[in-house]
Amino acid sequence: MNAQQIQTFFATLRAANPSPQTELEYASVFELLSAVLLSAQATDVGVNKATRRLFPVANTPQKILTLGLEGLSEYIRTIGLYRSKAKHLMATCQILVEQHGGQVPRSREALEALPGVGRKTANVVLNVAFGEPTMAVDTHLFRVSNRTGLAPGKTPLAVEMGLLKRIPAEFMVDAHHWLILHGRYVCKARQPLCSACTVSSQCDHGRRLQSVLD
């Protein structure tokens, strides 16, 4: 994709969804951090079902610690890898209470120092909670970036760096939401819905497909 195609690509996505939001449900920065931590290798729908039960009971680091490991595990046992995620969340809450006054830190370094929080999770929190122009590369962003030619790369970090370099500044804050939603509902892994895609004419894959059909 060239610069003009990228501009049109994101302008089209923005016109269809001017204010994209994460599909994870949260009411505070800590709830967001917890939900993203729990969402690794799980669906947002599955995480939301669990946190709808958990957050009314425990929605701060101290309340999670008060629940204890077994108590927390009972609330999130429907989520994949719930045992290890419960341990990570408990350890994260301990650090938040002891080192950050119970608040979620705003720096990447401090976020990535939390158990279970990697670069992708830190990027989500920095973007969604604090409005920073970060790019959280999950499986959807990785696939869409490579398939469309937007920012090809062999690793998530390479794709992230490519996206940060190539996406115009006016789209940057919302770009990762548009790309996630596009990958989740249109540019699917096995059967991309190219015939229903509003940006296929800007996409390398879409243009190749159209040339074959022509």
Side-chain angles (χ1 to χ4, degrees), residues 24 34-47 76-82 84-85 88 116 120-121 137-140 184:
L24 289 171
S34 300
V36 178
L37 188 155
L38 296 173
S39 71
Q41 299 182 52
T43 66
D44 288 359
V45 172
V47 172
I76 65 170
R77 64 184 305 123
T78 55
I79 302 174
L81 306 175
Y82 78 94
S84 62
K85 290 177 181 179
H88 286 152
K120 184 186 74 174
T121 297
V137 178
D138 65 355
T139 56
H140 296 302
R184 185 172 290 165

Side-chain angles (χ1 to χ4, degrees), residues 67-201:
L67 269 184
L69 182 60
E70 289 305 314
L72 173 60
S73 297
E74 283 301 310
Y75 281 100
I76 65 170
R77 64 184 305 123
T78 55
I79 302 174
L81 306 175
Y82 78 94
R83 291 189 185 280
S84 62
K85 290 177 181 179
K87 291 178 181 178
H88 286 152
L89 184 53
M90 290 292 290
T92 283
C93 289
Q94 192 73 45
I95 293 172
L96 292 178
V97 168
E98 292 179 354
Q99 299 181 20
H100 301 286
Q103 301 300 308
V104 176
R106 189 165 181 166
S107 77
R108 175 185 299 282
E109 182 180 15
L111 284 168
E112 291 188 19
L114 299 172
V117 177
R119 185 176 183 88
K120 184 186 74 174
T121 297
N123 278 338
V124 173
V125 173
L126 290 170
N127 177 265
V128 177
F130 301 122
E132 296 190 18
T134 59
M135 202 58 55
V137 178
D138 65 355
T139 56
H140 296 302
L141 264 79
F142 189 80
R143 178 177 68 255
V144 171
S145 297
N146 278 285
R147 181 184 280 165
T148 63
L150 173 61
K154 294 183 178 180
T155 66
L157 183 59
V159 169
E160 179 185 339
M161 294 299 104
L163 290 170
L164 291 173
K165 182 178 180 180
R166 304 197 76 201
I167 296 174
E170 65 178 296
F171 302 117
M172 190 63 74
V173 171
D174 292 321
H176 107 265
H177 287 308
W178 286 319
L179 293 173
I180 286 174
L181 295 171
H182 190 64
R184 185 172 290 165
Y185 297 113
V186 180
C187 196
K188 299 180 180 181
R190 294 185 179 180
Q191 293 183 313
L193 305 179
C194 297
S195 61
C197 178
T198 59
V199 291
S200 61
S201 60

Side-chain angles (χ1 to χ4, degrees), residues 7-20 170-171 174 178 198-199:
Q7 178 75 27
T8 303
F9 180 92
F10 282 104
T12 302
L13 295 178
R14 180 174 63 185
N17 186 3
S19 300
E170 65 178 296
F171 302 117
D174 292 321
W178 286 319
T198 59
V199 291

Side-chain angles (χ1 to χ4, degrees), residues 39-57:
S39 71
Q41 299 182 52
T43 66
D44 288 359
V45 172
V47 172
N48 288 338
K49 286 181 179 179
T51 57
R52 284 172 195 158
R53 296 175 57 242
L54 172 64
F55 289 157
V57 175

